[in-house]
């Protein structure tokens, strides 16, 4: 190979090397230098290099498979400790709309108006004439001046059907808050002379063994009394008394079923049932609570559970429950303790007549009214002296012996009952 050819090869090789260097420099010059960073741990590095796997999104119509969900271990339900577990089924209460209607009226009432709502008296007591046969102007003034909760009528106020209807309608129309227009006519004997059903005695109904008869009888009588204008009948007697008395029977469980049936009939007729005479009919009882629960209380509980909105408390000295010697209708251990707290009854509690010797031989009208109300009663039935009873309660509210909050509780119950049975306009 001559020298000229070797020179050409050397020059070509040199040019190739130069071109290669230029290309390499050009590529390296376009790369950015790495920015300083925090040290990377092996775990982070491993995670960074993992290719994330995306779970397939189920189609809208596909339900997630149970096996895809994590297994859940059910935690045990904690047992509440603050609220005691009730020992019996809660008793029925009034519907919220009736309570709301009652509250609306309560909010507009003065203390004196509230106090008068506690009383159920005869029209003669209120108006001052005897007998009351017509709803005249004096009746209107009396009802408006002393707006009592209710009036209890008897045979002396009844001449004929037309006269009675006008009397009751007139009294109700004069009342701003609505009146309990009351009759004590458990079998219809008081009003049968003017066309109402006269039903069998409770003893006869009980002896029939047909529980349905109690409901049918109460419904028929209740409708008739309501058509006359009455809004409450003091029935049924719910005691357990000796055979031949005015009760359904002597066996507690059997009597309880008849009481519940009668209550349902009253309600279907639009008349509130009144259970009497809580807790026992005797003048004195040494029975303890456990003994009462096995017998006497069964009949009253059956009536309460059937929806009876009123319980009338009698005169018995319940020595097994209280050492006070007070008649049941004045005794806090009976009303507030047994009826309200133990049995859970929160509807209207009514005293038996406060003008009977069981009361008047030991207490004046004012003291009896205050004792009964403080014991937990709502309606004070037939005080011996309306004005004295009213003034005693009025003084008790003024001096703080009775709070207005406690007064409001009773009046709200009374007005709620009136709303439920259509007595509030």
């Amino acid at each position: 190979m001559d020298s000229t050819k070797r020179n050409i090869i050397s020059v070509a090789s040199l040019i190739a090397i130069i071109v290669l260097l230029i290309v390499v420099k050009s590529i390296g010059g376009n790369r950015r230098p790495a920015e300083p960073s925090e040290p990377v741990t092996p775990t982070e590095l491993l995670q960074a290099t993992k290719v994330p796997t995306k779970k397939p999104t189920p189609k809208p119509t596909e339900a997630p498979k149970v096996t895809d969900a994590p297994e859940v271990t059910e935690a045990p339900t904690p047992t509440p400790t603050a609220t005691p577990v009730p020992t019996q089924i809660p008793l029925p209460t009034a519907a919220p709309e009736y309570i709301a209607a009652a509250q609306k009226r309560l909010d507009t009432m003065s203390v004196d108006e509230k106090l008068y709502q506690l009383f159920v008296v005869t029209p003669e007591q209120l108006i001052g004439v005897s007998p009351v046969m017509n709803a005249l102007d004096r009746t209107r003034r009396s009802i408006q001046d002393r707006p009592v909760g209710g009036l209890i009528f008897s045979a002396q106020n009844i001449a004929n059907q037309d006269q009675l209807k006008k009397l009751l309608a007139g009294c109700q129309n004069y009342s701003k808050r609505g009146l309990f227009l009351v009759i004590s006519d458990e079998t219809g004997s008081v009003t049968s002379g003017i066309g109402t059903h006269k039903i069998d005695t409770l003893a006869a109904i009980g002896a029939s063994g047909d529980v349905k008869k109690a409901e049918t009888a109460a419904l028929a009588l209740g409708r008739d009394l309501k058509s006359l204008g009455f809004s409450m009948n003091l029935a049924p007697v719910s005691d357990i008394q000796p055979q031949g008395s005015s009760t359904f029977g002597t066996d507690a469980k059997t009597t309880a079923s008849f009481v519940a049936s009668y209550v349902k009939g009253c309600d279907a007729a639009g008349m509130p049932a009144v259970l009497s005479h809580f807790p026992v009919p005797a003048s004195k009882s040494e029975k303890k609570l456990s003994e009462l629960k096995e017998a006497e209380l069964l009949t009253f509980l059956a009536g309460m559970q059937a929806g009876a909105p009123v319980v009338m408390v009698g005169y018995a000295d319940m020595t097994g429950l209280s050492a006070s010697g007070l008649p049941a209708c004045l005794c806090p251990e009976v009303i507030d303790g047994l009826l309200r707290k133990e049995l859970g009854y929160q509807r209207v509690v009514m005293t038996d007549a406060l003008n009977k010797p069981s009361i008047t031989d030991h207490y004046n009208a004012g003291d009896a009214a205050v004792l009964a109300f403080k014991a937990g009663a709502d309606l004070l039935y037939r005080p011996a002296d309306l004005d004295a009873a009213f003034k005693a309660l009025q003084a008790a509210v003024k001096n703080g012996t009775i709070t207005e909050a406690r007064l409001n509780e009773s009046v709200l119950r009374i007005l709620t009952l009136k709303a439920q049975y259509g007595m509030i306009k």
Side-chain angles (χ1 to χ4, degrees):
M1 184 182 295
D2 56 21
S3 59
T4 301
K5 187 178 288 190
R6 285 196 297 270
N7 289 336
I8 291 172
I9 292 172
S10 298
V11 170
S13 299
L14 180 62
I15 291 172
I17 292 171
I18 291 171
V19 170
L20 180 61
L21 289 173
I22 291 172
V23 171
V24 171
K25 184 177 182 181
S26 175
I27 294 172
N30 290 334
R31 292 181 60 188
R32 297 179 62 186
E35 296 180 0
S37 60
E38 293 293 329
V40 180
T41 64
T43 304
E44 290 172 332
L45 181 61
L46 179 62
Q47 290 173 341
T49 56
K50 276 187 178 180
V51 179
T53 57
K54 188 176 181 181
K55 290 185 178 180
T57 303
K59 295 179 183 179
T61 57
E62 292 180 344
K65 294 181 180 179
V66 176
T67 52
D68 291 340
E71 185 178 348
V72 178
T73 303
E74 186 174 348
T77 303
T79 303
T81 54
T83 306
V85 178
T87 57
Q88 64 185 51
I89 300 171
L91 299 176
T93 57
E97 60 265 29
Y98 301 132
I99 299 173
Q103 185 66 57
K104 184 176 180 180
R105 284 154 181 77
L106 178 66
D107 292 341
T108 67
M109 295 170 67
S110 67
V111 170
D112 283 359
E113 286 179 309
K114 294 173 187 176
L115 288 171
Y116 274 119
Q117 280 294 300
L118 306 178
F119 294 101
V120 175
V121 298
T122 66
E124 289 75 23
Q125 272 185 291
L126 184 68
I127 300 164
V129 297
S130 183
V132 173
M133 302 294 290
N134 301 289
L136 303 176
D137 189 59
R138 183 169 181 171
T139 304
R140 177 186 59 78
R141 291 197 309 270
S142 297
I143 290 174
Q144 292 175 355
D145 290 345
R146 295 188 292 175
V148 293
L151 295 172
I152 171 73
F153 297 85
S154 62
Q156 71 171 348
N157 304 115
I158 303 172
N160 56 65
Q161 189 176 115
D162 184 60
Q163 166 268 331
L164 180 60
K165 284 184 175 181
K166 288 180 179 178
L167 171 61
L168 297 179
C171 290
Q172 193 66 272
N173 288 335
Y174 294 150
S175 173
K176 184 179 178 182
R177 306 296 176 187
L179 279 168
F180 293 123
L181 298 176
V182 188
I183 188 81
S184 182
D185 197 15
E186 192 169 50
T187 63
S189 59
V190 178
T191 53
S192 60
I194 57 171
T196 63
H197 281 82
K198 188 176 186 304
I199 65 174
D200 289 337
T201 64
L202 301 193
I205 293 173
S208 74
D210 185 354
V211 173
K212 188 68 177 178
K213 279 189 175 181
E215 182 176 351
T216 302
L219 176 60
L221 177 59
R223 283 175 173 170
D224 285 351
L225 293 176
K226 190 173 179 64
S227 71
L228 292 172
F230 289 108
S231 55
M232 181 183 287
N233 186 19
L234 301 183
V237 171
S238 305
D239 305 321
I240 305 170
Q241 292 185 356
Q243 192 68 37
S245 62
S246 60
T247 63
F248 288 113
T250 58
D251 176 72
K253 291 183 180 179
T254 302
T255 300
S257 62
F258 279 94
V259 169
S261 180
Y262 194 100
V263 168
K264 292 175 183 177
C266 290
D267 186 67
M271 297 283 282
V274 181
L275 308 179
S276 61
H277 304 84
F278 185 87
V280 298
S283 60
K284 189 172 184 177
S285 172
E286 297 180 354
K287 286 192 173 184
K288 306 290 185 183
L289 176 58
S290 58
E291 297 173 290
L292 292 169
K293 282 184 173 182
E294 292 176 358
E296 287 84 355
L297 296 186
L298 294 178
T299 64
F300 286 97
L301 268 174
M304 295 174 203
Q305 289 168 347
V310 185
V311 171
M312 176 181 278
V313 182
Y315 304 121
D317 176 6
M318 303 300 297
T319 58
L321 299 177
S322 171
S324 66
L326 290 166
C329 58
L330 308 185
C331 183
E333 287 84 359
V334 172
I335 301 179
D336 186 58
L338 176 57
L339 188 51
R340 295 287 193 208
K341 292 187 173 68
E342 181 67 30
L343 301 183
Y345 188 71
Q346 297 304 319
R347 306 297 294 276
V348 173
V349 173
M350 185 178 191
T351 69
D352 208 336
L354 297 176
N355 64 346
K356 298 297 183 182
S358 298
I359 304 297
T360 57
D361 285 353
H362 307 283
Y363 312 95
N364 63 45
D367 289 342
V370 171
L371 284 169
F373 190 75
K374 289 179 68 178
D378 303 306
L379 284 175
L380 309 179
Y381 178 49
R382 298 187 68 171
D385 185 324
L386 173 60
D387 289 336
F390 173 81
K391 288 176 182 177
L393 285 169
Q394 187 183 51
V397 172
K398 286 181 178 179
N399 66 29
T401 303
I402 294 172
T403 66
E404 190 169 356
R406 167 69 183 87
L407 176 60
N408 288 342
E409 286 179 10
S410 282
V411 179
L412 183 62
R413 290 190 189 107
I414 293 166
L415 295 176
T416 298
L417 181 58
K418 291 180 177 181
Q420 180 177 351
Y421 288 91
M423 292 168 239
I424 288 181
K425 300 173 184 177

